[in-house]
Amino acid sequence: MKTIQDVYVLKNGVKMPKVGFGTWQIPDGEACYNSVSLALKHGYRHIDTAAAYRNEASVGRAIKDSGIPRDHVFVTSKLQSHIKSYQETLDAFEKTLKELDMDYLDLYLIHAPWPWNEIGKDCDAGNVEAFKAMEKLYLDGKVRSIGVSNFSPKDLDNILKHCEIIPHVNQIAFFIGNNQEETKNYCDAKGILVEAYSPLAIGYALSNDIIINMAKTYKVTPAQLCIRYCIEKGTAPLPKSTHESRIIENTGLDFKMKEEDVKFLDTIKDDPRRWN
Ligand code: A2P
């Protein structure tokens, strides 16, 4: 089976394609519609969006127009980071469904433990309220799995202590040089699947000599090596691109990395966004 069609099985038995197409920073309208359409055309069956990206309507339209049955595409969206109450979470979810023009989601995430303009603020009580609303949506059958994003072990502890369902997913920035060992180990221990956003370090990893040279030894591109690394680590990468050739390139993942190479890349502890 091609890697792009391969799946992880979440703790609740739901199958999630291992590689998702990310849509962060892809502007709403034609750019987003075309990128998602191309991703579906070239084999992606997992699309990641968020209310904060303001492109849910284009994502939904591209999925509908693709003609691919709804239940063959895994769709994720996220609760805006400033929403931290029960009723507002339920309302925001309905708005997201309306924007996407769908009647259910495959995965709904709390976008961040704090509002993006107040990073680090203590929102423990609000996160519990928001997650309890997500549990209701899950139990009502409106979403097939629920989780969080950008959560640290401490943020996860708070949810595990006060909620019934262990989040199925934690979506975090994860790439060579930023493999978030502590959070990843915590998630592994609890059966929480880690999704890797920005697997190319927003493109910065691609001009690094170590990555370029290792990619050559596998006869793949630096982008393919970066994405494959995330899979070798057991995470679900969410690469994004607005160019068809790159969207195709990023599906070329049918190679295996040697354990020693993965381990070597693990030793890089520098965020590539600061390299070069
Ligand atoms: P573009 O959309 O112009 O193709 P990440 O997924 O880590 O956030 O990285 C996304 C960035 O990397 C985007 O700027 C995207 O640009 C670029 N990118 C995506 N795929 C490739 C690729 N295969 N080769 C080079 N750049 C890429």
Side-chain angles (χ1 to χ4, degrees), residues 21 33 50 54 75 86 100 118-119 125-126 145 161 165 186-187 203 250:
F21 184 73
Y33 179 83
R54 303 196 184 283
V75 182
Y86 187 87
L100 285 161
E118 291 176 281
I119 291 178
S145 47
K161 190 167 168 202
I165 297 171
Y186 181 105
C187 289
N250 295 350

Side-chain angles (χ1 to χ4, degrees), residues 215-261:
K216 278 187 193 148
T217 68
Y218 286 98
K219 297 189 171 50
V220 299
T221 66
Q224 289 165 337
L225 188 85
C226 289
I227 300 166
R228 184 73 217 185
Y229 169 80
C230 295
I231 296 171
E232 299 289 354
K233 296 292 291 176
T235 71
L238 305 168
K240 58 181 176 289
S241 175
T242 48
H243 294 91
E244 185 166 20
S245 59
R246 290 172 174 177
I247 289 171
I248 296 170
E249 177 186 331
N250 295 350
T251 66
L253 305 167
D254 300 322
F255 63 101
K256 255 214 83 52
M257 289 175 66
K258 288 188 209 138
E259 206 180 313
E260 70 217 47
D261 287 338

Side-chain angles (χ1 to χ4, degrees), residues 15-29:
K15 289 181 182 157
M16 182 182 84
K18 284 190 174 178
V19 185
F21 184 73
T23 64
W24 177 46
Q25 287 180 331
I26 303 186
D28 194 27

